Amino acid sequence: MPGFADSFWTPDYVSGLEVLYEKLQQGVVENKQILTIVSMRADAEEQYSVKLGGIAPAVDKLTPNGFSKDDGASVRKAYEGVRSEMVEASKKHQKIASNIRELVVTPFSRWSEQHELRIQNSHDDLLARFKEYSKMLQLVKKLRSQYFNKCRVVEDLEEENKLAFQSPDMSPQANPTPKIVLPEEEEENIEPVEIGDKMYAPEDLKKLLAHMLETIKLGEAKVPILGTYQNTSTGADIVEYLQKHLDASTVSYAEHIGQDLVNNGFLRLVGNVGSTFANSSKLNYQWRSVAFKIAGVPEKRKPLLRVGSMVSEDGVDSPIASVSEMLAGWNPLNNPHPNETPAEKLRREAREADERYKNAVKKLDQFRCKLEEEIVDNLRFMEQCELDRLKAIKAVVLDFSGAVSNVIPTLQSAVDNMMLYQETIQPLGDLRYLLENYRTGGFVPKVEPYENYYGSVEDQIFGVDLEARSRADRKRVPILVTTILSYLDNHYPELEGDETRRAIWLYNVPLAATHQLRNALNNSKTDYREVLEKFEIPVVASVLKLYFLELPDSLVSSQVYEIVKTIYSTTAHETTEEGRIKVLQSTLGQLRLNNIATLDAIMTHFTRLIELTSADETYIAALAQNLAPCILRPRFESSLTMNERHSYRLIRDLFAHKEAIFGELKRQSSAHGLSNTGRARAISTDESNRRAAMEARQRAIVNRSRANSPAPLRKHRRDRSSGPENGRFPINVSSPPVGRRSTRDSLEVPGRRDSQTATDRASTVDAQTAAEVTSNGDSVASISTVSVSETSSPSPATETEAAAATPATPSDATSELKQRDSLSRSSARHSHKKSGLTNRSSVGTSASTAAGDGPSSSRTSLVETEPKGVTLEDKAMDD
């Protein structure tokens, strides 16, 4: 049964914990109710004692007192007996009230206050951590948005540069290089200009400017630091001219005309900031070169006395150039990139935004791990607190009944009833009830991965999509998974006993230790094995389960959860076990190849562990229950899915029918791949050995010197199922250990079941193959033709069988076939049938045999290439 640490998890962490703390607060109220009812009972007992104690004094006060006069009367003795019993009853009830307060009210009230304080402190601490986590999460999202925006701006700039500065070679059309014909220099056309409220044609503008330059006083204006400006006039002189010659009736209208001269580029303000024209004798305006050019008046120039002066862009000597030289190396703002171009600045900002975002993701991930550790610790502590509370209530009821029963034996029946009530209290049952009715979900951490704008996942492992991680590793199964499985296989023999080997997958590893290994692997730039060696074996197994829990989607995708649910909801009454396995094969065939290969790898590991350690049914059930959330999870956790056991049943079927399910998936993938390529191919991807084997077979065919056997060739037919899968199944992670090879693989010849001898088979193959070589001249095509003609459906085994049956000498072929039969018989009792797969060692043996090696070399290659112990073998992706 799961505890608090496995029962109150939600994607946002808060919702599930709020449900738990709401129930814990309900327990606090229950404590107060029990304390109230016990306290009121103590008060009632005290009041009853006071009432009983007041009876005798009230009776004694009656006058005249009749019973005091008759000392020996029997009536008096009866009266005094009744009176004394009432006094004793008062004392007893007073004792009951005192016992209830001392044994129940005082200790339980103190304990209740401490219990309430523990719950409140735990809730406040986690709430503070959640707020900090939310702030960090919002910061990560903000930095991610900034980083993506910077990258988009850089892309837009690069696209604009490509379109704006495209070389002739990059042009989409191979047109001849255009010739640039420069037009003859023409006089610059001057457009009409509006000055004041009048539009001046080019000729009128020329006359106006010439008259102004000749009439208005021109001088020099000295500006501190900047130097002296030539051809300047004051604002007052220009306004005086405008009022006198252009009929500017008011000063404001004259300033309006002057502003038009500034806006059209004939004047500029010097010595002040801005370009406003005003009627002032302290404001100086310099006539620009364009005004002299249009007017046809020679511009007055005088060399500046300042050292290093230069000519400005409009041809006028300007002190600004010398000042710019003087201030070229001045950087008052301490800008670290003073000479940076806009494009370089954008790229630098994108890189900086990427770095900030990546660092924020790392900090968020570390904080999330710490938060999960604190949640687990708090949940376990709260579970213990709740269990203690229920036990305390049980003790309160017991103490209360004892306080009453020890004083008043006459209340034994009521005490017996209270004892019965006390016996009916079951703390573990109440705790189970709380979990079954209020749990919100199992532990499935929600990782916020770093999202690279260009889709790269090189710098992170956990929380990344399985297919993306496999593509980055260029493997069908992520390197981390195969490394951990191989590491565990190599360290199983070092453990003491099968019980210890089995227990590493069920050991409750502290989440802090698992996160420590996770962070070490996630930030590792070296071999994973060096990191794994520093941790205990159960921690390594726990981090593999955490890796599958942190995947964005479960290993068996949540998209097929409803299909799996339907399978296990209907097959118990409507279909047989064989039909259920076929439906499971079809369902798993819908997954991606990376998911299928990874699932095959881990199922191979666990089935071997179960077989080698002789695990019983109890352990298999516990292991399946432990792995269920790692393999298959629903898309959304609800109160219905938490009580479903479809994931557990799926794992039990994968344990029991692993060979049938994955063997059929591999055959389907291999068969579909062969139909696409046009000729039979083995699973091996070592093309160099294949080429050497074909060349050796061709030499053996050409050099043969014996006649063909008249006996027809009868070969064993191997039917293969076809399915919807595309391509070969490129992963072989279930290579059998020594002594457990298949009863027949691609290189074996079923000699006992065929009446024809190995020599006749070799002769027949030689005859047919030689005929194909003579007619077509293509050795590769001839071998493919023989394979297709001999069997009804081509299989990867037929090509290698034909290759193995073409030695130059019949005696060599016979001895080699006998040797292979003996190897097959010796391993038949330990074999696991895997149809459609070719062992890598078998391909190597075929190549060496076809090249002319003797039987002894074949035997040696088989023994040397056979893996020792449990071995994982992964293949490169066919990208």
Side-chain angles (χ1 to χ4, degrees):
M1 176 182 173
F4 281 10
D6 300 321
S7 303
F8 294 96
W9 295 90
T10 52
D12 60 347
Y13 296 111
V14 181
S15 302
L17 293 177
E18 288 296 335
V19 173
L20 172 62
Y21 280 99
E22 182 179 353
K23 295 300 298 179
L24 294 177
Q25 289 296 334
Q26 177 183 338
V28 172
V29 177
E30 292 174 359
N31 293 344
K32 294 180 179 179
Q33 289 178 335
I34 291 177
L35 189 62
T36 301
I37 193 173
V38 173
S39 300
M40 294 183 68
R41 175 61 185 269
D43 295 339
E45 291 290 342
E46 186 175 12
Q47 292 178 6
Y48 186 45
S49 174
V50 172
K51 291 293 184 182
L52 288 177
I55 294 176
V59 173
D60 293 339
K61 290 180 181 179
L62 293 177
T63 55
N65 193 338
F67 285 105
S68 61
K69 297 181 179 180
D70 297 329
D71 296 334
S74 60
V75 178
R76 179 180 178 180
K77 291 182 180 180
Y79 164 75
E80 290 177 352
V82 172
R83 182 180 179 279
S84 62
E85 287 295 329
M86 290 185 178
V87 173
E88 290 296 323
S90 174
K91 294 179 180 179
K92 291 178 181 178
H93 283 284
Q94 182 64 35
K95 184 65 175 177
I96 290 175
S98 177
N99 289 344
I100 291 176
R101 289 191 176 97
E102 292 178 2
L103 300 178
V104 180
V105 176
T106 301
F108 186 69
S109 61
R110 184 168 56 250
W111 186 92
S112 298
E113 293 174 357
Q114 295 175 355
H115 176 74
E116 181 179 4
L117 184 62
R118 286 192 293 267
I119 293 177
Q120 189 63 38
N121 290 339
S122 176
H123 181 269
D124 294 342
D125 292 342
L126 288 182
L127 184 61
R129 302 294 284 179
F130 286 141
K131 291 181 180 179
E132 189 175 356
Y133 174 76
S134 300
K135 291 180 181 179
M136 296 182 67
L137 184 61
Q138 293 299 326
L139 177 62
V140 166
K141 293 181 179 179
K142 179 180 178 181
L143 294 177
R144 173 181 176 273
S145 177
Q146 293 177 357
Y147 165 53
F148 278 24
N149 291 336
K150 295 291 185 181
C151 291
R152 292 189 187 99
V153 173
V154 171
E155 281 188 347
D156 294 341
L157 179 62
E158 291 176 354
E159 291 297 328
E160 291 176 1
N161 292 338
K162 289 179 181 178
L163 296 176
F165 304 102
Q166 191 173 17
S167 63
D169 297 337
M170 299 296 291
S171 177
Q173 298 180 356
N175 295 330
T177 304
K179 297 181 180 180
I180 300 176
V181 180
L182 298 176
E184 296 180 1
E185 296 184 359
E186 299 179 358
E187 294 182 2
E188 184 178 0
N189 295 326
I190 303 175
E191 296 180 357
V193 177
E194 182 179 5
I195 299 176
D197 296 332
K198 182 179 180 182
M199 186 67 68
Y200 287 85
E203 292 296 326
D204 298 334
L205 180 62
K206 180 178 181 181
K207 294 179 181 179
L208 175 62
L209 292 177
H211 189 264
M212 293 177 72
L213 292 173
E214 293 175 357
T215 307
I216 299 175
K217 180 181 178 181
L218 300 180
E220 297 178 354
K222 294 182 180 180
V223 179
I225 299 177
L226 299 181
T228 303
Y229 289 86
Q230 304 293 327
N231 302 321
T232 60
S233 301
T234 63
D237 294 339
I238 297 174
V239 169
E240 180 181 359
Y241 171 83
L242 295 177
Q243 289 179 336
K244 182 177 182 180
H245 297 280
L246 293 185
D247 300 327
S249 57
T250 61
V251 174
S252 61
Y253 182 70
E255 288 180 346
H256 175 65
I257 297 175
Q259 187 65 45
D260 289 341
L261 292 174
V262 173
N263 294 338
N264 289 314
F266 301 129
L267 290 174
R268 69 173 177 179
L269 178 64
V270 297
N272 289 277
V273 179
S275 59
T276 304
F277 183 86
N279 179 25
S280 175
S281 59
K282 295 183 179 180
L283 296 180
N284 296 301
Y285 297 88
Q286 184 184 35
W287 293 91
R288 291 181 176 269
S289 298
V290 65
F292 289 94
K293 185 176 181 181
I294 294 175
V297 177
E299 184 179 2
K300 299 178 180 179
R301 293 185 180 182
K302 182 178 180 181
L304 292 175
L305 299 178
R306 296 180 59 84
V307 179
S309 61
M310 299 180 64
V311 180
S312 63
E313 59 183 8
D314 56 1
V316 179
D317 289 339
S318 174
I320 302 225
S322 60
V323 173
S324 63
E325 289 180 354
M326 181 181 65
L327 301 178
W330 188 38
N331 189 13
L333 299 179
N334 293 326
N335 185 9
H337 309 282
N339 300 324
E340 195 176 37
T341 62
E344 292 174 350
K345 180 180 179 182
L346 291 176
R347 293 188 183 94
R348 176 180 57 80
E349 291 176 351
R351 290 192 301 270
E352 293 175 352
D354 183 18
E355 194 65 25
R356 289 194 299 270
Y357 171 49
K358 185 183 298 184
N359 294 334
V361 169
K362 291 181 179 179
K363 292 181 179 179
L364 176 64
D365 192 67
Q366 295 176 358
F367 188 84
R368 179 189 59 79
C369 293
K370 291 293 183 182
L371 175 62
E372 291 175 356
E373 295 170 12
E374 293 185 7
I375 292 175
V376 170
D377 295 338
N378 278 271
L379 290 182
R380 290 175 178 170
F381 180 66
M382 288 296 102
E383 181 178 4
Q384 186 63 40
C385 291
E386 182 66 11
L387 185 61
D388 293 342
R389 185 188 72 85
L390 297 173
K391 292 180 179 180
I393 293 176
K394 183 180 179 72
V396 164
V397 176
L398 180 62
D399 294 340
F400 176 76
S401 61
V404 177
S405 63
N406 293 336
V407 179
I408 306 179
T410 58
L411 300 177
Q412 191 63 41
S413 60
V415 173
D416 293 340
N417 292 332
M418 283 187 275
M419 291 295 294
L420 180 61
Y421 301 147
Q422 181 265 341
E423 290 294 338
T424 58
I425 298 177
Q426 299 179 0
L428 292 178
D430 291 348
L431 193 63
R432 181 189 297 272
Y433 173 81
L434 188 150
L435 289 171
E436 290 178 352
N437 290 275
Y438 295 97
R439 63 191 303 253
T440 59
F443 173 62
V444 179
K446 186 177 183 298
V447 181
E448 184 70 22
Y450 163 72
E451 300 178 21
N452 188 274
Y453 182 79
Y454 304 99
S456 174
V457 295
E458 297 295 337
D459 297 336
Q460 53 188 344
I461 299 174
F462 288 82
V464 182
D465 182 70
L466 185 68
E467 185 176 17
R469 184 65 260 166
S470 300
R471 186 173 299 277
D473 292 341
R474 301 194 62 81
K475 299 287 185 181
R476 285 297 183 194
V477 180
I479 294 178
L480 177 68
V481 177
T482 56
T483 302
I484 291 178
L485 294 179
S486 300
Y487 177 82
L488 294 176
D489 283 332
N490 294 331
H491 284 74
Y492 280 144
E494 301 175 1
L495 302 178
E496 297 181 0
D498 292 339
E499 187 68 25
T500 306
R501 298 184 182 97
R502 292 193 298 264
I504 66 171
W505 291 101
L506 302 182
Y507 189 77
N508 191 8
V509 179
L511 189 60
T514 306
H515 278 161
Q516 184 179 1
L517 177 54
R518 175 194 180 274
N519 295 334
L521 292 172
N522 215 17
N523 300 322
S524 176
K525 302 299 182 181
T526 60
D527 187 11
Y528 295 142
R529 293 182 179 271
E530 298 180 2
V531 179
L532 298 178
E533 291 290 347
K534 302 176 182 179
F535 292 85
E536 298 293 334
I537 299 297
V539 181
V540 177
S542 176
V543 83
L544 181 61
K545 292 187 288 186
L546 181 65
Y547 172 79
F548 290 119
L549 287 176
E550 290 190 352
L551 289 177
D553 194 5
S554 55
L555 191 57
V556 178
S557 176
S558 59
Q559 297 179 357
V560 301
Y561 181 84
E562 293 298 328
I563 301 177
V564 175
K565 178 179 179 180
T566 304
I567 293 173
Y568 290 106
S569 299
T570 59
T571 54
H573 305 284
E574 300 180 7
T575 61
T576 61
E577 182 176 359
E578 182 180 357
R580 184 176 77 251
I581 298 306
K582 290 184 179 180
V583 176
L584 283 178
Q585 291 171 354
S586 176
T587 302
L588 295 179
Q590 302 176 20
L591 303 179
R592 299 176 295 187
L593 284 180
N594 305 99
N595 294 58
I596 298 176
T598 305
L599 184 61
D600 183 25
I602 62 177
M603 286 299 112
T604 301
H605 181 90
F606 287 118
T607 52
R608 285 173 177 166
L609 177 64
I610 292 171
E611 180 182 359
L612 295 177
T613 60
S614 302
D616 56 4
E617 179 65 22
T618 303
Y619 174 77
I620 296 176
L623 180 62
Q625 187 68 32
N626 194 277
L627 295 177
C630 302
I631 303 301
L632 175 62
R633 300 187 296 271
R635 182 174 302 178
F636 301 105
E637 193 79 31
S638 64
S639 58
L640 297 178
T641 58
M642 284 187 295
N643 297 323
E644 294 175 347
R645 294 172 59 84
H646 308 307
S647 303
Y648 166 79
R649 293 169 183 159
L650 172 64
I651 296 179
R652 292 302 301 268
D653 276 342
L654 292 178
F655 284 167
H657 308 283
K658 185 258 176 191
E659 299 296 336
I661 294 175
F662 290 100
E664 180 63 24
L665 291 177
K666 295 174 184 178
R667 285 195 295 272
Q668 290 177 3
S669 179
S670 177
H672 198 77
L674 292 176
S675 63
N676 292 337
T677 56
R679 71 179 185 90
R681 289 188 62 187
I683 295 300
S684 173
T685 58
D686 194 351
E687 297 296 334
S688 61
N689 291 339
R690 184 182 302 280
R691 189 178 300 108
M694 288 192 296
E695 293 176 357
R697 288 196 293 270
Q698 183 178 3
R699 290 196 301 271
I701 293 171
V702 174
N703 296 332
R704 68 174 180 79
S705 60
R706 58 184 177 81
N708 297 331
S709 175
L713 177 64
R714 296 192 307 175
K715 300 187 71 63
H716 176 70
R717 170 174 175 171
R718 178 181 294 171
D719 293 331
R720 295 179 295 105
S721 60
S722 59
E725 291 296 322
N726 294 326
R728 294 180 292 114
F729 194 75
I731 183 69
N732 181 16
V733 295
S734 58
S735 301
V738 177
R740 295 182 178 270
R741 293 180 62 249
S742 302
T743 56
R744 189 186 73 251
D745 56 17
S746 301
L747 292 178
E748 295 177 6
V749 179
R752 287 181 175 270
R753 286 176 286 191
D754 293 345
S755 60
Q756 190 178 11
T757 63
T759 306
D760 294 336
R761 290 196 185 97
S763 302
T764 306
V765 174
D766 291 339
Q768 296 181 7
T769 308
E772 291 296 331
V773 172
T774 305
S775 59
N776 300 328
D778 188 355
S779 62
V780 178
S782 67
I783 295 172
S784 177
T785 306
V786 171
S787 301
V788 174
S789 63
E790 288 173 352
T791 59
S792 59
S793 61
S795 66
T798 55
E799 179 180 348
T800 53
E801 287 178 1
T806 57
T809 307
S811 60
D812 295 340
T814 304
S815 61
E816 182 181 352
L817 293 173
K818 289 180 179 180
Q819 178 188 359
R820 290 174 182 166
D821 286 338
S822 65
L823 286 174
S824 175
R825 288 193 298 271
S826 64
S827 60
R829 57 189 175 185
H830 301 292
S831 63
H832 301 282
K833 186 174 183 181
K834 294 181 174 63
S835 301
L837 290 178
T838 303
N839 202 329
R840 295 174 67 93
S841 61
S842 302
V843 177
T845 306
S846 175
S848 63
T849 304
D853 296 338
S856 60
S857 62
S858 301
R859 183 179 183 89
T860 302
S861 62
L862 281 173
V863 174
E864 291 177 353
T865 56
E866 197 70 33
K868 298 181 180 181
V870 181
T871 304
L872 293 174
E873 181 180 353
D874 203 352
K875 306 296 180 65
M877 293 177 60
D878 299 330
D879 290 340

